[in-house]
Amino acid sequence: MLIKYTGVLIIFITLCLLGHQKAVATQMELNTIRGLYDKLLSCKLSLKFNKVRSSKIVADLRQVCEEINDKEVNKLIEELCKSVGTTPLDGQLLLFEGCEERLKLKLNELERKTPTKCKLYSSLGVLSGAFLAIILI
């Protein structure tokens, strides 16, 4: 009987931790996109004042982009990377501003949804763990 309760407790704890892990991953994704937004602003200023070559800017943006799982954001940055260095400076700055606006909208949306998703994932982990525990007992 003790083994049964121990197994149920392990399952409950595991599902709680899985829910918490998903909540933490969601928060980390938001923080990574915030970092990308800051990097985008930094790259725009570097380009504007000719501090860094465009190939370095593209490399920096792609490096940050590798950490992001959001396909929409990845596509946005990939389109920007293809265009950097192929147009005059004014055109590149306009591309950066457009990308900045779209990324800011995405960031605002994620900032609004993330707390709810984090609570949902944590609650779902606890509730599914409790459900399985009740079923197995």
Side-chain angles (χ1 to χ4, degrees), residues 26 36-37 56 63 108 111 115 123:
T26 303
L36 175 64
Y37 181 76
K56 173 74 170 127
Q63 181 182 7
N108 288 338
E111 285 174 343
S123 299

Side-chain angles (χ1 to χ4, degrees), residues 53-97:
R53 294 178 47 205
S54 59
S55 60
K56 173 74 170 127
I57 290 173
V58 169
D60 288 346
L61 288 174
R62 284 195 173 137
Q63 181 182 7
V64 175
C65 208
E66 288 175 0
E67 302 170 11
I68 297 175
N69 296 328
D70 192 322
K71 291 179 182 177
E72 182 181 344
V73 173
N74 282 336
K75 183 179 177 187
L76 177 67
I77 297 302
E78 201 54 43
E79 289 173 2
L80 177 68
C81 289
K82 287 178 184 176
S83 303
V84 171
T86 60
T87 61
L89 181 61
D90 293 338
Q92 291 180 45
L93 291 175
L94 287 174
L95 288 170
F96 268 93
E97 287 176 13

Side-chain angles (χ1 to χ4, degrees), residues 8-70:
V8 167
L9 182 64
I10 289 172
I11 289 172
F12 175 74
I13 291 171
T14 302
L15 288 173
C16 289
L17 289 175
L18 283 174
H20 179 71
Q21 179 186 11
K22 182 66 175 168
V24 169
T26 303
Q27 186 64 41
M28 286 177 54
E29 183 77 15
L30 174 63
N31 292 338
T32 305
I33 292 178
R34 279 184 187 143
L36 175 64
Y37 181 76
D38 293 340
K39 187 68 164 176
L40 186 69
L41 293 177
S42 171
C43 289
K44 181 178 129 185
L45 287 175
S46 296
L47 185 67
K48 185 175 184 177
F49 296 111
N50 273 341
K51 292 176 78 176
V52 180
R53 294 178 47 205
S54 59
S55 60
K56 173 74 170 127
I57 290 173
V58 169
D60 288 346
L61 288 174
R62 284 195 173 137
Q63 181 182 7
V64 175
C65 208
E66 288 175 0
E67 302 170 11
I68 297 175
N69 296 328
D70 192 322

